Amino acid sequence: MDTVLIANRGEIALRIIRACRRQGMRAVCAFSEDDRGAAYLDLADQAICIGPAPALKSYLNIPAVLAAAKATGAQYIHPGYGFLSENAEFAEAVTKAGLTLIGPDARVMRMMGDKVAAKGAMIAAGVPCVPGPDAVLPDDPQELARIAEGIGYPVILKAAGGGGGRGMRVVKDKGALAEAFAITRQEARQFFGNADIYMEKYLQKPRHVEIQVIADSHGTALWLGDRDCSMQRRHQKLIEEAPAPGIDRRLIADIGARCAASCRDIGYVGAGTFEFLYEDGAFFFIEMNTRIQVEHPVTEMVTGLDIVALQIDVARGAVLPFAQGDIQTAGHAIECRINAEDPASFVPSPGTITHMHVPGGPGIRVDTHVASGAVIPASYDSMIGKVIAHGADRAEALARAQTALAELRVGGVSCNAALHCALLDDPGFREGGISIHHFDDWCAAQEATDV
Ligand code: ADP
C-alpha cells in the first residue's frame, strides 16, 4: 500500500489523513515534541517525531522530514499549507530523495513564488494584473519617480519574494517615495533574503476574490469556482465564502478559464489558487498559492469535490476524471476560522482546552483536530478549527453558520466564536461584497460605540 508522510500538523494534518483513507493510502503523520500525544495523531496509521517544538527544528526541518519519510516507507509527502508547502528547495529535495511531493514541481513553485516572475507569466497567459510593470524596480530615484508617475499615485511597493502580508508599503505621493523604497528594500532583504522590489497601483477599496484550480500531469487544468475572502484582519483571512456574492458569473467564468489556461501554459500540476483583487467590475491578479489553502472546504461544499483527494490522485499520475463542463456548483458555503485568541485584543490564547463541543446539524462541517483535553501550543498558529456552513443560498448558509457558532463551546482558552457571530450579523457583510478594509472599519465603529 502506498504511504503518504504528512509534513504538517493540526486540522490540515487530519484533513489529509482523511483524504489518504479515502484513496486507500497509509497516512503517516510527522509531529514535533510539542504535538506529542495530540489526539489526531492516533487517527493516522503511524506517527513519527521529527524534532523539538520550534518549527525550524521540526516542521521546517527538511532533512528531518525526509528522514521520517524514509524511515516510514513513504513514497509521497503532503506538505499541507504553511511550513514547507511553498518552499521550492524542499520540493527539489523531495524529488532528489526519490520521493513525490503532493504539489507542483520546484520549477513552477519557484516561478510563482517570485511575484514578479508570476506576474510576467500571468500577463503572458492573458490573466489581468494590477497595473504596474512586471519588472524589478531600479535603484535610480528619477527612474523610480517616473515609473510611479506612469502608474499614478497611490502606488504600493512590494517585495518580489514577499509573503504573509509583509514587505509591502503604500506610497501616497512623490515626496514619500524615496524613503518608502529604502525601507521596503531593507525589509525585503531582511525577511525574504531577496532585495527585489516591484511597484503597482494601490487599489483603494478592492475585494479579495480567488479562483481554485486543479491540474493533472496530462495537460488537463480545470477551475473549481471562486471564493470571496475579503473579511481579513492584517491580511489574515477570517471568513471565506463561495461563490463570491454579486459578481457577474460570466466575468468569473472568463477569469476562471484564463487561470486554467495559464496552468497549462506553465505546466502546473496539483491544486492551486489564483488570488485577485476585484474593484469596479474588474479582476487584477496579485499572486498564486501553489498549495492547498485553509479555505478549500467552501469550494468542496459547493462543488461536492474532495480537493485533497484530487491532489493525491494527480500526484500519483491519474487523469482528472471529469471535464470543465462537469463541474457544477450548488448553493452557498461560508467558513469561519476559529482561533484560540482573545476576541477583543486578538492576542493568542494558548493552553489546554478543558471542554469542547463541536456543532453539527444540516449543512454543517467542522474541520478540527481539537477535542476536550487538547493542548494548543504557543509555538504555532492559533487556529483550532473551521466551522463551515452550506445552504441552498447565501441566506441559508448564513443562518446555519450562526446556529453552528452559537452551539460551539470551547473551554479553557479564549476563542473568537463571539467575534464571528457579530461579524455574521453585520449589515455590511450580510449585504455581500465588502472590501478588504471592512473589518478595520467595523472594528473602528465598534470602538466608537463602546466609548
Ligand atoms: P502576501 O503574499 O504577503 O499575502 P499579496 O500580494 O497576496 O501578499 O497581498 C496581500 C494583501 O495586500 C492583499 O490581500 C491586499 O489586501 C493587499 N494588497 C496587495 N496588493 C495590493 C494593491 N495593489 N492594492 C491594494 N491592496 C493590495
Side-chain angles (χ1 to χ4, degrees):
M1 193 189 265
D2 281 348
T3 299
V4 179
L5 179 87
I6 301 167
N8 214 302
R9 63 177 301 281
E11 71 88 20
I12 195 64
L14 178 53
R15 172 71 189 84
I16 299 164
I17 293 172
R18 289 173 175 149
C20 291
R21 279 274 129 72
R22 159 98 166 58
Q23 302 313 92
M25 296 173 95
R26 260 181 90 235
V28 177
C29 215
F31 66 92
S32 77
E33 293 289 0
D34 245 10
D35 284 324
R36 184 183 293 283
Y40 71 91
L41 295 173
D42 284 343
L43 302 173
D45 294 289
Q46 192 182 342
I48 180 166
C49 184
I50 51 165
L56 273 175
K57 299 207 159 143
S58 49
Y59 296 109
L60 287 170
N61 182 343
I62 297 177
V65 169
L66 294 179
K70 288 278 176 204
T72 58
Q75 297 84 14
Y76 297 89
I77 299 185
H78 198 309
Y81 51 68
F83 296 125
L84 293 169
S85 63
E86 290 183 293
N87 184 320
E89 263 170 58
F90 175 61
E92 219 158 58
V94 170
T95 311
K96 271 206 190 111
L99 306 169
T100 303
L101 184 76
I102 300 180
D105 65 30
R107 177 192 63 86
V108 171
M109 208 182 268
R110 194 163 278 133
M111 174 163 76
M112 300 321 267
D114 178 329
K115 292 177 169 188
V116 176
K119 210 168 164 177
M122 289 306 110
I123 291 170
V127 175
C129 294
V130 182
D134 58 324
V136 170
L137 291 174
D139 270 316
D140 176 40
Q142 275 171 2
E143 182 65 3
L144 210 56
R146 199 189 55 74
I147 296 169
E149 297 295 338
I151 297 171
Y153 290 97
V155 296
I156 182 167
L157 298 172
K158 297 168 81 169
R166 294 198 304 176
M168 288 184 284
R169 190 155 272 96
V170 180
V171 185
K172 292 204 173 75
D173 51 48
K174 193 176 172 182
L177 183 60
E179 194 190 337
F181 181 75
I183 299 172
T184 314
R185 171 80 93 203
Q186 163 65 19
E187 282 180 358
R189 199 174 278 129
Q190 187 181 335
F191 297 136
F192 311 113
N194 173 0
D196 289 346
I197 309 282
Y198 67 109
M199 189 193 294
E200 56 190 29
K201 177 88 188 155
Y202 179 68
L203 305 178
Q204 308 264 1
K205 281 242 152 208
R207 291 167 63 179
H208 176 115
V209 180
E210 57 189 33
I211 301 281
Q212 173 75 54
V213 294
I214 184 85
D216 66 21
S217 53
H218 307 276
T220 298
L222 310 172
W223 66 281
L224 307 180
D226 54 303
R227 297 185 283 258
D228 188 321
C229 315
S230 301
M231 188 70 89
Q232 302 180 355
R233 177 177 178 270
R234 300 208 177 143
H235 307 309
Q236 293 288 324
K237 297 162 188 169
L238 263 173
I239 300 178
E240 303 99 345
E241 59 185 309
I247 301 180
D248 184 346
R249 290 285 107 197
R250 283 166 305 183
L251 181 57
I252 302 244
D254 176 56
I255 293 294
R258 284 170 196 257
C259 292
S262 78
C263 286
R264 290 188 282 272
D265 280 1
I266 62 177
Y268 193 87
V269 177
T273 299
F274 289 79
E275 295 193 330
F276 291 88
L277 296 178
Y278 173 84
E279 191 175 69
D280 297 333
F283 279 89
F284 304 97
F285 170 81
I286 46 171
E287 68 163 345
M288 182 183 197
N289 287 150
T290 54
R291 54 171 167 82
I292 193 75
Q293 283 187 300
V294 176
E295 59 269 29
H296 75 276
V298 289
T299 301
E300 294 187 327
M301 296 294 263
V302 295
T303 59
L305 296 170
D306 180 335
I307 299 173
V308 184
L310 288 171
Q311 276 191 300
I312 293 174
D313 287 348
V314 297
R316 291 171 108 183
V319 174
L320 281 170
F322 42 75
Q324 191 64 56
D326 300 324
I327 296 160
Q328 303 286 337
T329 62
H332 199 94
I334 295 179
E335 173 181 280
C336 296
R337 295 190 188 193
I338 308 300
N339 298 329
E341 66 185 22
D342 185 286
S345 68
F346 311 112
V347 173
S349 170
T352 300
I353 298 205
T354 50
H355 168 75
M356 173 128 161
H357 176 79
V358 172
I364 298 301
R365 163 175 167 181
V366 179
D367 279 17
T368 182
H369 60 295
V370 171
S372 301
V375 177
I376 306 302
S379 339
Y380 314 114
D381 189 277
S382 64
M383 197 176 74
I384 55 175
K386 307 174 306 204
V387 172
I388 306 122
H390 181 246
D393 54 23
R394 190 168 187 265
E396 188 174 52
L398 273 168
R400 286 178 166 172
Q402 283 178 308
T403 308
L405 287 168
E407 275 180 26
L408 178 67
R409 296 281 183 283
V410 178
V413 302
S414 300
C415 101
N416 63 352
L419 173 72
H420 280 293
C421 288
L423 290 173
L424 295 183
D425 256 342
D426 167 57
F429 180 70
R430 295 190 74 82
E431 197 184 319
I434 58 163
S435 91
I436 56 173
H437 304 300
H438 188 83
F439 183 74
D440 288 343
D441 296 346
W442 181 85
C443 286
Q446 300 296 304
E447 271 170 33
T449 328
D450 288 350
V451 170

